[in-house]
Short mmCIF file of all heavy atoms in Angstrom, two decimals:
data_model
loop_
_atom_site.label_atom_id
_atom_site.label_comp_id
_atom_site.label_asym_id
_atom_site.label_seq_id
_atom_site.Cartn_x
_atom_site.Cartn_y
_atom_site.Cartn_z
N ARG M 1 6.35 3.56 14.35
CA ARG M 1 5.30 3.50 15.39
C ARG M 1 4.41 4.75 15.28
O ARG M 1 4.87 5.83 15.03
CB ARG M 1 5.95 3.45 16.77
CG ARG M 1 6.79 2.23 16.98
CD ARG M 1 7.26 2.17 18.44
NE ARG M 1 8.33 1.21 18.60
CZ ARG M 1 8.13 -0.10 18.76
NH1 ARG M 1 6.93 -0.58 18.74
NH2 ARG M 1 9.16 -0.93 18.91
N ASN M 2 3.13 4.54 15.49
CA ASN M 2 2.13 5.58 15.47
C ASN M 2 2.20 6.44 14.19
O ASN M 2 2.41 7.62 14.21
CB ASN M 2 2.27 6.52 16.69
CG ASN M 2 2.09 5.78 18.00
OD1 ASN M 2 1.26 4.89 18.08
ND2 ASN M 2 2.88 6.15 18.98
N PRO M 3 2.00 5.77 13.02
CA PRO M 3 2.01 6.54 11.78
C PRO M 3 0.79 7.46 11.68
O PRO M 3 -0.29 7.18 12.24
CB PRO M 3 1.98 5.51 10.69
CG PRO M 3 1.37 4.28 11.34
CD PRO M 3 1.75 4.37 12.81
N GLY M 4 0.94 8.56 10.98
CA GLY M 4 -0.16 9.50 10.80
C GLY M 4 -1.12 9.03 9.71
O GLY M 4 -0.88 8.03 9.02
N LYS M 5 -2.18 9.79 9.55
CA LYS M 5 -3.20 9.44 8.56
C LYS M 5 -2.65 9.47 7.14
O LYS M 5 -3.00 8.66 6.29
CB LYS M 5 -4.40 10.41 8.66
CG LYS M 5 -5.21 10.21 9.89
CD LYS M 5 -6.37 11.19 9.98
CE LYS M 5 -7.14 11.03 11.26
NZ LYS M 5 -8.21 12.00 11.35
N LEU M 6 -1.78 10.47 6.83
CA LEU M 6 -1.20 10.56 5.51
C LEU M 6 -0.32 9.33 5.21
O LEU M 6 -0.42 8.76 4.13
CB LEU M 6 -0.33 11.83 5.40
CG LEU M 6 0.34 12.07 4.07
CD1 LEU M 6 -0.73 12.26 2.98
CD2 LEU M 6 1.22 13.29 4.13
N GLN M 7 0.49 8.94 6.16
CA GLN M 7 1.31 7.74 5.99
C GLN M 7 0.46 6.51 5.78
O GLN M 7 0.78 5.67 4.93
CB GLN M 7 2.26 7.55 7.17
CG GLN M 7 3.20 6.37 6.97
CD GLN M 7 4.19 6.20 8.07
OE1 GLN M 7 4.46 7.15 8.85
NE2 GLN M 7 4.79 5.02 8.19
N LEU M 8 -0.58 6.39 6.55
CA LEU M 8 -1.49 5.21 6.40
C LEU M 8 -2.15 5.23 5.03
O LEU M 8 -2.30 4.17 4.41
CB LEU M 8 -2.52 5.21 7.52
CG LEU M 8 -2.02 4.91 8.90
CD1 LEU M 8 -3.13 5.08 9.95
CD2 LEU M 8 -1.41 3.52 9.01
N ALA M 9 -2.52 6.40 4.53
CA ALA M 9 -3.13 6.51 3.21
C ALA M 9 -2.11 6.12 2.12
O ALA M 9 -2.43 5.39 1.19
CB ALA M 9 -3.62 7.91 2.98
N LEU M 10 -0.85 6.57 2.26
CA LEU M 10 0.19 6.25 1.28
C LEU M 10 0.46 4.72 1.31
O LEU M 10 0.61 4.09 0.25
CB LEU M 10 1.48 6.99 1.62
CG LEU M 10 1.49 8.48 1.31
CD1 LEU M 10 2.76 9.11 1.83
CD2 LEU M 10 1.37 8.70 -0.17
N GLU M 11 0.54 4.15 2.50
CA GLU M 11 0.77 2.70 2.61
C GLU M 11 -0.40 1.90 2.04
O GLU M 11 -0.17 0.89 1.41
CB GLU M 11 1.05 2.33 4.08
CG GLU M 11 2.35 2.82 4.59
CD GLU M 11 2.60 2.48 6.06
OE1 GLU M 11 1.80 1.76 6.68
OE2 GLU M 11 3.63 2.97 6.59
N SER M 12 -1.60 2.42 2.23
CA SER M 12 -2.78 1.73 1.65
C SER M 12 -2.74 1.80 0.12
O SER M 12 -3.05 0.80 -0.56
CB SER M 12 -4.08 2.39 2.14
OG SER M 12 -4.23 2.17 3.50
N GLY M 13 -2.36 2.94 -0.41
CA GLY M 13 -2.22 3.06 -1.87
C GLY M 13 -1.14 2.14 -2.43
O GLY M 13 -1.35 1.52 -3.46
N TYR M 14 -0.04 2.07 -1.73
CA TYR M 14 1.03 1.18 -2.19
C TYR M 14 0.56 -0.29 -2.10
O TYR M 14 0.83 -1.07 -3.02
CB TYR M 14 2.31 1.38 -1.33
CG TYR M 14 3.47 0.56 -1.84
CD1 TYR M 14 4.26 1.01 -2.87
CD2 TYR M 14 3.75 -0.71 -1.32
CE1 TYR M 14 5.29 0.28 -3.38
CE2 TYR M 14 4.79 -1.46 -1.80
CZ TYR M 14 5.56 -0.96 -2.83
OH TYR M 14 6.59 -1.70 -3.31
N GLN M 15 -0.12 -0.62 -1.03
CA GLN M 15 -0.61 -1.98 -0.85
C GLN M 15 -1.64 -2.32 -1.97
O GLN M 15 -1.64 -3.45 -2.49
CB GLN M 15 -1.26 -2.15 0.51
CG GLN M 15 -1.61 -3.59 0.86
CD GLN M 15 -0.35 -4.44 1.02
OE1 GLN M 15 0.61 -4.01 1.63
NE2 GLN M 15 -0.38 -5.62 0.45
N LEU M 16 -2.48 -1.37 -2.34
CA LEU M 16 -3.43 -1.57 -3.42
C LEU M 16 -2.71 -1.84 -4.74
O LEU M 16 -3.06 -2.79 -5.44
CB LEU M 16 -4.32 -0.34 -3.54
CG LEU M 16 -5.38 -0.37 -4.63
CD1 LEU M 16 -6.52 -1.30 -4.23
CD2 LEU M 16 -5.93 1.03 -4.88
N ALA M 17 -1.68 -1.06 -5.01
CA ALA M 17 -0.88 -1.30 -6.23
C ALA M 17 -0.16 -2.62 -6.18
O ALA M 17 -0.11 -3.35 -7.18
CB ALA M 17 0.15 -0.14 -6.41
N GLU M 18 0.36 -2.95 -5.02
CA GLU M 18 1.07 -4.25 -4.84
C GLU M 18 0.10 -5.41 -5.06
O GLU M 18 0.45 -6.38 -5.75
CB GLU M 18 1.69 -4.31 -3.46
CG GLU M 18 2.64 -5.44 -3.26
CD GLU M 18 3.31 -5.37 -1.93
OE1 GLU M 18 2.63 -5.60 -0.89
OE2 GLU M 18 4.53 -5.09 -1.87
N ASN M 19 -1.09 -5.34 -4.56
CA ASN M 19 -2.08 -6.40 -4.77
C ASN M 19 -2.51 -6.49 -6.21
O ASN M 19 -2.60 -7.58 -6.78
CB ASN M 19 -3.32 -6.18 -3.86
CG ASN M 19 -3.02 -6.37 -2.41
OD1 ASN M 19 -2.05 -7.01 -2.01
ND2 ASN M 19 -3.84 -5.78 -1.57
N PHE M 20 -2.78 -5.34 -6.81
CA PHE M 20 -3.19 -5.32 -8.23
C PHE M 20 -2.12 -5.89 -9.14
O PHE M 20 -2.39 -6.82 -9.93
CB PHE M 20 -3.56 -3.90 -8.65
CG PHE M 20 -3.95 -3.76 -10.10
CD1 PHE M 20 -5.22 -4.20 -10.50
CD2 PHE M 20 -3.09 -3.26 -11.02
CE1 PHE M 20 -5.58 -4.09 -11.82
CE2 PHE M 20 -3.43 -3.16 -12.35
CZ PHE M 20 -4.70 -3.57 -12.76
N PHE M 21 -0.91 -5.35 -9.07
CA PHE M 21 0.17 -5.80 -9.94
C PHE M 21 0.66 -7.19 -9.52
O PHE M 21 1.13 -7.93 -10.37
CB PHE M 21 1.31 -4.79 -9.97
CG PHE M 21 0.96 -3.54 -10.74
CD1 PHE M 21 0.90 -2.31 -10.13
CD2 PHE M 21 0.75 -3.59 -12.10
CE1 PHE M 21 0.60 -1.17 -10.84
CE2 PHE M 21 0.41 -2.45 -12.82
CZ PHE M 21 0.35 -1.25 -12.18
N GLY M 22 0.57 -7.52 -8.25
CA GLY M 22 0.98 -8.85 -7.79
C GLY M 22 0.15 -9.93 -8.41
O GLY M 22 0.65 -11.01 -8.78
N GLU M 23 -1.17 -9.70 -8.59
CA GLU M 23 -2.03 -10.67 -9.25
C GLU M 23 -1.68 -10.80 -10.71
O GLU M 23 -1.75 -11.90 -11.26
CB GLU M 23 -3.50 -10.27 -9.08
CG GLU M 23 -4.03 -10.45 -7.67
CD GLU M 23 -5.49 -10.02 -7.53
OE1 GLU M 23 -6.20 -9.99 -8.57
OE2 GLU M 23 -5.90 -9.74 -6.41
N LEU M 24 -1.33 -9.72 -11.35
CA LEU M 24 -1.00 -9.76 -12.77
C LEU M 24 0.39 -10.35 -13.04
O LEU M 24 0.56 -11.11 -13.99
CB LEU M 24 -1.03 -8.33 -13.36
CG LEU M 24 -2.37 -7.65 -13.45
CD1 LEU M 24 -2.22 -6.23 -13.90
CD2 LEU M 24 -3.29 -8.43 -14.41
N LEU M 25 1.37 -9.97 -12.21
CA LEU M 25 2.76 -10.30 -12.50
C LEU M 25 3.29 -11.45 -11.64
O LEU M 25 4.37 -11.97 -11.97
CB LEU M 25 3.65 -9.06 -12.29
CG LEU M 25 3.28 -7.83 -13.09
CD1 LEU M 25 4.13 -6.66 -12.64
CD2 LEU M 25 3.41 -8.06 -14.57
N GLY M 26 2.66 -11.77 -10.57
CA GLY M 26 3.20 -12.78 -9.64
C GLY M 26 4.21 -12.15 -8.71
O GLY M 26 4.53 -10.99 -8.78
#
């Protein structure tokens, strides 16, 4: 609950990687 800006940035980066590799690998 109430994550900080750093945590939100890390989660966004992970989500970006997940979306990128998810499209390539399924």
Side-chain angles (χ1 to χ4, degrees):
R1 298 187 194 277
N2 300 323
K5 290 180 183 178
L6 181 63
Q7 182 176 342
L8 291 174
L10 288 172
E11 289 178 7
S12 294
Y14 185 84
Q15 190 66 44
L16 180 73
E18 193 174 69
N19 291 339
F20 177 76
F21 287 115
E23 289 179 21
L24 292 174
L25 304 173

